[in-house]
Amino acid sequence: MPLPTRPLDDRSFQDLVDEAKKRIPLYCPEWTDHNVSDPGVTLIELFAWMVDILLYRLNQVPASHYIRLLELLGIQLEPPQAASAPITCSEWAQCSRTGICPMPMMLTSLTWFGAPSRVYAGDRFQVPDYR
């Protein structure tokens, strides 16, 4: 299951209308009727609706396009690699002496948040010597 992606532009229809209405006094100070019944506000809402449709389509970009856009910005994806984590083993003396951990065994690793995460290992596995 892929991770949820954030939208490229998260402005809503109402955000677009509000932004356009805030610019009215700057570009046309004589326009004072900002009610919904005004034809100019109707045009603002029409253009906001059209931009909202474009933003919806922009946010539906497939992953391959995201990769191409990142490449245009000069960002290269890192190649896939195996996950790794430092572990603590209750029988570490035996593991480091023989190079193979006895099973079954409870392993402990720290998560991102510093909380211990316990994993039950049911199969034998090789322990590399990192000394």
Side-chain angles (χ1 to χ4, degrees), residues 4-101:
T5 57
R6 293 183 51 200
L8 296 174
D9 193 340
D10 62 350
R11 291 180 293 175
S12 66
F13 168 79
Q14 195 58 49
D15 293 338
L16 295 167
V17 170
D18 293 342
E19 185 179 338
K21 283 185 179 180
K22 285 179 189 172
R23 293 177 185 235
I24 291 173
L26 179 65
Y27 293 108
C28 190
E30 59 273 0
W31 182 5
T32 57
D33 184 15
H34 301 171
N35 295 321
V36 180
S37 60
D38 185 53
V41 174
T42 304
L43 286 174
I44 286 175
E45 290 178 348
L46 173 67
F47 288 123
W49 175 72
M50 291 169 57
V51 170
D52 190 36
I53 291 172
L54 288 174
L55 292 178
Y56 172 78
R57 291 196 52 171
L58 176 68
N59 290 329
Q60 302 301 313
V61 173
S64 61
H65 286 107
Y66 275 112
I67 294 170
R68 296 290 181 211
L69 290 171
L70 289 173
E71 287 175 354
L72 286 174
L73 295 173
I75 300 171
Q76 296 294 322
L77 292 179
E78 294 183 14
Q81 57 187 355
S84 64
I87 58 171
T88 303
C89 168
S90 59
E91 316 259 345
W92 197 252
Q94 183 180 350
C95 290
S96 60
R97 187 176 63 247
T98 63
I100 297 177
C101 282

